[in-house]
Amino acid sequence: MIAIDDLKFKDNLIPAIVQDHQTGEVLMFAYMNRESLEKTLDSDIAHYWSRSRGKLWKKGESSGHIQHVRDILVDCDMDTLLLKVRQDGAACHVGYRSCFYRNIKGDIVGKKVFDPEDIY
Amino acid sequence: MIAIDDLKFKDNLIPAIVQDHQTGEVLMFAYMNRESLEKTLDSDIAHYWSRSRGKLWKKGESSGHIQHVRDILVDCDMDTLLLKVRQDGAACHVGYRSCFYRNIKGDIVGKKVFDPEDIY
């Protein structure tokens, strides 16, 4: 077992990459503090730290788009996490399954699965 | 085309998730500054900013484990990049194909492809 104390938090946060556990699609990127990681480990439901709102953030709390955590990988430097999840609905608040729905050329490469106006 | 000026750098850096373009395996996580992103776009070879060494870092420069960039995705908030690459050798300096070779239970889940002593 890797202990939470083994992980390297920077300014109390650790980056978390979120990936669909079956398709491998990268869904989003967020930060966790110690409390959100503990809640995630306890519940198997992804919790993050919202830097914009300055508070604990249970993903999907308002939208219902919960992330069920299947595994958590740790990188060689112990300063980044990779969550393997089953995503209910979509990860992106804009309505795409993944937040990475555009490439740098501006092409839409992702799949839209809901209309934000129906949800929020 | 999304312009580099559209991207949100924080302390001159933007996080970059690196994924195998064929298998979807997440290989590593790093940061780019503007110069490293420009060099990456110009050459289609991944360049990062090494925070530990405080300098531009062409991935694979000493090991030969170059990353050939196939596409760069941008997230909804324009503050994170996802590089789709063809990885020569392995991404991780410890010898695993991916830096995310362990889970939080401490199990080895990744594949070792070289012995670091043979390379560095």
Side-chain angles (χ1 to χ4, degrees), chain A residues 1-2 10 19 24 26 29 51 71-76 78 80 82 92 99-100 102-105, chain B residues 1-2 10 19 24 26 29 51 71-76 78 80 82 92 99-100 102-105:
Chain A
M1 188 78 183
I2 292 170
K10 190 173 188 300
Q19 185 179 33
V26 174
F29 173 76
R51 294 184 303 166
D71 206 359
I72 300 180
L73 309 191
V74 180
D75 79 332
C76 49
M78 298 237 189
T80 309
L82 173 61
C92 186
C99 293
F100 299 92
R102 280 171 301 189
N103 68 17
I104 204 159
K105 290 178 200 148
Chain B
M1 187 77 184
I2 292 171
K10 190 172 187 302
Q19 185 180 32
V26 174
F29 174 75
R51 293 183 304 166
D71 205 0
I72 300 179
L73 309 191
V74 180
D75 80 332
C76 50
M78 297 237 189
T80 309
L82 174 60
C92 185
C99 293
F100 298 92
R102 281 171 302 189
N103 68 17
I104 204 159
K105 291 177 198 148

Side-chain angles (χ1 to χ4, degrees), chain A residues 91-111:
Chain A
C92 186
H93 68 289
V94 182
Y96 290 88
R97 181 146 174 88
S98 164
C99 293
F100 299 92
Y101 62 85
R102 280 171 301 189
N103 68 17
I104 204 159
K105 290 178 200 148
D107 302 327
I108 300 289
V109 296
K111 188 176 163 192

Side-chain angles (χ1 to χ4, degrees), chain A residues 24-55:
Chain A
E25 185 178 24
V26 174
L27 297 171
M28 56 177 263
F29 173 76
Y31 290 89
M32 286 183 161
N33 65 356
R34 197 183 171 101
E35 183 191 5
S36 55
L37 177 56
E38 286 169 348
K39 282 197 182 287
T40 300
L41 289 168
D42 286 348
S43 64
D44 290 332
I45 300 290
H47 293 69
Y48 304 99
W49 177 257
S50 169
R51 294 184 303 166
S52 58
R53 286 174 286 162
K55 56 179 261 197

